[in-house]
Amino acid sequence: PDGGTVIVSVPNIAHASVSLPLLLRARFKYQDAGILDRTHVRFFDREAVVALMNEAGFVVRRGVRLGFDGPRARLIDAVTGHALRDHLTKQYVVAGTREAPGNQGPVDWLTA
């Protein structure tokens, strides 16, 4: 049935701290905490977290990109005209609501 909301927070595997070492050295190392935490079972990017929610029967209308709290990230974001935003995002938080399948439209992404 329609109704109900679930909040999901996932680390962004496309963050520069992961994608740059992959690009430069073709490898990454698991860590004790953070995006590459050893306990993480799956990795997500922006599209994958929305797909996960859709597969579970939820539609995402709004999401928050976390990781723009430092001056360097804000400067890079501004200078690049937001082109690298997916690589500056450390974590995605989305709210999904139960709706009829196939209702997924564009997601309104906020930054924090």
Side-chain angles (χ1 to χ4, degrees), residues 8 23 29 34 57 62-63 74 76 83 88 91 100 112:
V8 174
L23 178 66
K29 291 183 179 182
R62 297 185 93 182
R74 287 193 303 269
I76 293 169
L88 297 171
Q91 190 168 356

Side-chain angles (χ1 to χ4, degrees), residues 30-97:
Y30 287 100
Q31 301 168 354
D32 293 330
I35 295 171
L36 291 174
D37 188 304
R38 296 179 206 304
T39 64
H40 291 165
V41 176
R42 269 182 74 181
F43 293 110
F44 296 90
D45 60 16
R46 182 171 40 91
E47 290 180 11
V49 69
V50 174
L52 172 77
M53 297 294 280
N54 292 167
E55 291 165 12
F58 293 91
V59 172
V60 177
R61 299 287 178 219
R62 297 185 93 182
V64 180
R65 300 168 182 255
L66 300 175
F68 294 87
D69 49 353
R72 184 171 61 187
R74 287 193 303 269
L75 176 63
I76 293 169
D77 189 44
V79 168
T80 62
H82 314 301
L84 297 178
R85 202 162 254 193
D86 284 327
H87 296 289
L88 297 171
T89 300
K90 291 180 182 174
Q91 190 168 356
Y92 293 107
V93 178
V94 295
T97 56

